[in-house]
Amino acid sequence: MNNSNQIRIFDTTLRDGEQSPGASMTSAEKLEVARQLARLGVNVIEAGFPAASPDDLEAVRRIATEVGNADGPIIAGLARCWRDDITKAWEGVREADHPRIHTFLATSDLHMERKLGMTREQVLSQIEHMVSYARSLCDDIEFSPEDASRSDADFLVEACKIAIEAGATTLNIPDTVGYSMPIEYGEMMADLIARTPGGKDVIWSAHCHDDLGCATANTLSAVQAGARQVEVTINGIGERAGNTPLEEVVMALHTRPKIYGLGCSIETTELARTSRLVSNYTGIYVPRNKAIIGQNAFAHEAGIHQDGMLKDQRTYEIMTPQTVGLSQSQLVLGKHSGKHALRIRLQELGFELDRDGVKDAFKRFKMLADKKKDITDADLQALAHQQEQAPSETFTITDLQISCGRPGMPTATVRLEGPNGDEFIQSDVGDGPVDATFSAMDQIVQAKNELLEYSVHSVTSGIDALGEVTVRIQAPDNSKSDKGRIFGGYGADTDITVASAKAYMAALNRMIAALGTKYSRGEGAPATINQTAS
Ligand code: KIV
Ligand code: ZN
């Protein structure tokens, strides 16, 4: 199996990625991301950690049922090497046509002694019993010796051997804390493949974290050493500095075939779209200079570069923007374009909206076209994403009126429609128009939170450019299960205050959806318009 010339892409955006602070997604959003990952062509979707909470279990189950069909990807659920975890993981993935249980236990002395309080013998016995138990439920079992890169080499061979004998079919070797260097990680992979009894009959997998900025290099080094599965996330989101970015590994294989000579099933033209979807849902912004999918990845500013590009694109581009799904066309639609043209263009950009979706998008498009002469693909993508990410429950903004300037008191008046169709109006002053808007919204929604991050950038250039805002808010740390969870929101509009209000509303809605009734409106909230009138 190790000789195959295909690399399996195991995407863990919904597990290791979602686990990182601020990347929380609602179950509907996770399902949407899973659908997009299937469109992208990943081989395995790690849909979550079912034992973490009933919500996580439910989200994994939904993905298994709705995305894990016969010609779809393998759906994996993560489990610690404990019986209850494994039972829950199986409950989550069993409805998929191709289910997988992924179980892990730490093998470094540091983790065994300090974290688990277990001896080496106890760890080996636990691996044997729990992998066997998992295998009694499911044919496809992955085992990970956590903190493998800081484990004793001989003990690691022993742990992998026992996992294989107990029924593991994929052996994943995590550089859990991003400590390895590329040469070292590749050598470790080669050593394990060569020395582990049974090692030639399983798939070896690389799982790297980016603490020293080496995740992609380490993953590619493992591939050269014989790994045939890579564990990656979209945009590299994940614990601490993140995981290996899917787009980087895939485009390295694609762009340097002479070095790797390996293929994978990814439809590269879906990369940009997937990246944006994940960024918008998590509120984790992609840096401009991020490889492959950053806004500047294909921008050429220096005169010498522009001159070269005009003469021959290959002078300064090793891959084309089209290959990763970034369209070159700048000017697409305008004020006089019709609904049909909009639908076709959105389809070309990969957005399959239903009738109501197109109607809604057209309404937004017309509003945008009134304010902005040229509507580019980037504008349309922002518009479609905004639509895709609106959580159905809770509040929507119906009106926003701002008064600001100097001297004066920046004042915002907000009208929101609540979950039952009730309308609320509230005004407030603040340090600036955005602060006043957020504060008025807070008084209506009454969902306590702390604003951790607020960032603005423009989608295109020019005075009429569409502005994009992302915010991240943190719920109070008031119960064991909430643990101060962080939620992201995204909004786009030609008016930056409106974009800010949309982003904040999306984050609040996401928090209310995740944390439920605890954040419904309490005593002291302003009356609804209906109540005021009566
Ligand atoms: O980084 C890690 O060790 C993990 C394991 C659970 C596979 O994510
Ligand atoms: Zn990890």
Side-chain angles (χ1 to χ4, degrees), residues 62 133 135 167 215 228 269 343 380 433 521:
R62 264 183 92 183
Y133 172 56
R135 184 61 197 255
R228 287 296 174 267
T269 54
R343 186 170 60 78
L380 290 176
R521 304 177 64 256

Side-chain angles (χ1 to χ4, degrees), residues 63 81 110 140 156 165 172 214 227 309 314 332 340 360 389 392 398 409 444 452 460 481 494 514:
I63 292 169
C81 245
L110 181 65
D140 186 347
L156 195 55
E165 284 168 358
N172 177 49
C214 291
M309 282 292 291
R314 291 169 303 172
V332 277
H340 181 67
D360 212 41
Q389 76 140 14
S392 53
T398 47
M409 287 182 296
I444 298 177
L452 296 182
T460 48
S481 60
T494 47

Side-chain angles (χ1 to χ4, degrees), residues 15-16 174 176 207 209 239 243:
R15 200 279 298 170
D16 221 339
T176 303
H207 178 113
H209 283 265
E239 286 282 5
N243 288 59

Side-chain angles (χ1 to χ4, degrees), residues 274-502:
T274 316
S275 159
R276 251 187 111 86
L277 187 71
V278 170
S279 168
N280 292 345
Y281 280 172
T282 57
I284 298 181
Y285 191 59
V286 175
R288 273 174 187 262
N289 63 336
K290 168 77 184 63
I292 318 295
I293 35 80
Q295 229 192 331
N296 288 356
F298 294 94
H300 305 274
E301 182 77 25
I304 294 173
H305 288 208
Q306 289 183 347
D307 180 53
M309 282 292 291
L310 289 172
K311 289 175 176 148
D312 187 333
Q313 231 176 314
R314 291 169 303 172
T315 50
Y316 288 101
E317 266 178 5
I318 57 166
M319 54 199 153
T320 65
Q322 291 88 340
T323 321
V324 302
L326 292 166
S327 166
Q328 234 187 5
S329 124
Q330 284 299 310
L331 205 156
V332 277
L333 299 174
K335 195 176 173 139
H336 302 292
S337 308
K339 204 187 288 173
H340 181 67
L342 176 69
R343 186 170 60 78
I344 300 289
R345 191 65 202 131
L346 285 172
Q347 258 170 8
E348 282 167 5
L349 291 170
F351 296 97
E352 289 294 343
L353 301 182
D354 60 17
R355 261 178 81 137
D356 286 348
V358 175
K359 223 165 113 187
D360 212 41
F362 189 62
K363 220 158 73 189
R364 287 165 194 262
F365 167 75
K366 281 288 177 195
M367 275 156 59
L368 183 60
D370 274 344
K371 298 183 210 156
K372 191 171 189 295
K373 195 166 136 265
D374 304 332
I375 301 202
T376 66
D377 285 347
D379 293 324
L380 290 176
Q381 277 167 339
L383 189 133
H385 276 303
Q386 231 182 325
Q387 185 152 333
E388 279 184 336
Q389 76 140 14
S392 53
E393 314 88 323
T394 53
F395 295 90
T396 48
I397 304 165
T398 47
D399 269 313
L400 174 61
Q401 190 69 50
I402 302 290
S403 118
C404 59
R406 271 182 198 278
M409 287 182 296
T411 309
T413 304
V414 182
R415 188 203 294 257
L416 302 186
E417 188 179 316
N420 306 321
D422 291 337
E423 289 212 309
F424 307 91
I425 293 189
Q426 186 67 34
S427 299
D428 208 346
V429 292
D431 290 340
V434 174
D435 184 43
T437 304
F438 287 9
S439 162
M441 289 165 74
D442 277 342
Q443 288 182 52
I444 298 177
V445 177
Q446 304 248 316
K448 258 196 167 161
N449 71 82
E450 188 187 340
L451 182 65
L452 296 182
E453 203 178 294
Y454 168 79
S455 66
V456 189
H457 92 285
S458 85
V459 176
T460 48
S461 53
I463 193 75
D464 61 354
L466 200 59
E468 283 186 311
V469 174
T470 48
V471 299
R472 304 217 294 152
I473 60 174
Q474 183 166 34
D477 196 357
N478 57 3
S479 91
K480 224 174 152 195
S481 60
D482 294 351
K483 286 209 192 94
R485 273 175 68 182
I486 298 172
F487 300 87
Y490 161 88
D493 200 278
T494 47
D495 180 324
I496 232 46
T497 314
V498 175
S500 305
K502 285 177 180 172

Side-chain angles (χ1 to χ4, degrees), residues 21-272:
S24 290
M25 288 179 249
T26 64
S27 128
E29 288 165 347
K30 286 183 193 171
L31 184 62
E32 200 49 51
V33 170
R35 289 205 171 105
Q36 177 57 26
L37 290 171
R39 233 175 273 143
L40 178 66
V42 307
N43 305 97
V44 187
I45 295 177
E46 187 162 53
F49 185 5
S53 74
D55 279 356
D56 284 62
L57 170 60
E58 197 40 45
V60 174
R61 207 182 349 231
R62 264 183 92 183
I63 292 169
T65 317
E66 297 187 33
V67 185
N69 48 42
D71 43 349
I74 294 170
I75 307 296
L78 184 73
R80 285 165 298 188
C81 245
W82 315 128
R83 206 179 168 84
D84 282 357
D85 268 41
I86 293 172
T87 310
K88 288 226 169 69
W90 178 235
E91 251 182 74
V93 298
R94 64 185 304 165
E95 294 303 327
D97 281 317
H98 309 292
R100 172 180 294 187
I101 297 174
H102 174 195
T103 186
F104 71 99
L105 191 62
T107 50
S108 66
D109 288 332
L110 181 65
H111 275 229
M112 289 187 293
E113 282 166 30
R114 309 294 299 170
K115 186 183 83 175
L116 300 172
M118 289 171 86
T119 62
R120 285 188 175 194
E121 290 66 36
Q122 286 171 325
V123 164
L124 294 180
S125 156
Q126 190 75 8
I127 294 172
E128 184 189 345
H129 289 108
M130 290 305 109
V131 172
S132 300
Y133 172 56
R135 184 61 197 255
S136 73
L137 304 171
C138 178
D139 285 341
D140 186 347
I141 303 299
E142 174 169 329
F143 173 72
S144 295
E146 193 192 6
D147 205 19
S149 52
R150 294 191 299 168
S151 301
D152 173 76
D154 293 335
F155 182 64
L156 195 55
V157 168
E158 187 62 16
C160 291
K161 169 182 159 265
I162 286 178
I164 294 171
E165 284 168 358
T169 43
T170 300
L171 267 289
N172 177 49
I173 307 302
D175 181 24
T176 303
V177 289
Y179 180 69
S180 255
M181 290 293 113
I183 191 155
E184 205 180 8
Y185 189 68
E187 279 172 6
M188 176 174 65
M189 189 62 77
D191 181 53
L192 281 169
I193 297 174
R195 286 206 297 135
T196 307
K200 304 275 184 297
D201 305 322
V202 294
I203 299 234
W204 292 87
S205 164
H207 178 113
C208 301
H209 283 265
D210 209 28
D211 300 67
L212 291 173
C214 291
T216 301
N218 285 347
T219 301
L220 291 168
S221 174
V223 162
Q224 286 187 297
R228 287 296 174 267
Q229 174 178 284
V230 293
E231 301 204 349
V232 289
T233 61
I234 301 297
N235 302 338
I237 64 168
E239 286 282 5
R240 307 178 309 278
N243 288 59
T244 309
L246 178 148
E247 60 280 2
E248 293 181 12
V249 174
V250 166
M251 290 314 291
L253 297 177
H254 192 272
T255 312
R256 304 304 307 272
K258 281 199 184 134
I259 292 187
Y260 297 105
L262 297 163
C264 71
S265 55
I266 296 298
E267 177 51 60
T268 60
T269 54
E270 289 287 331
L271 285 171

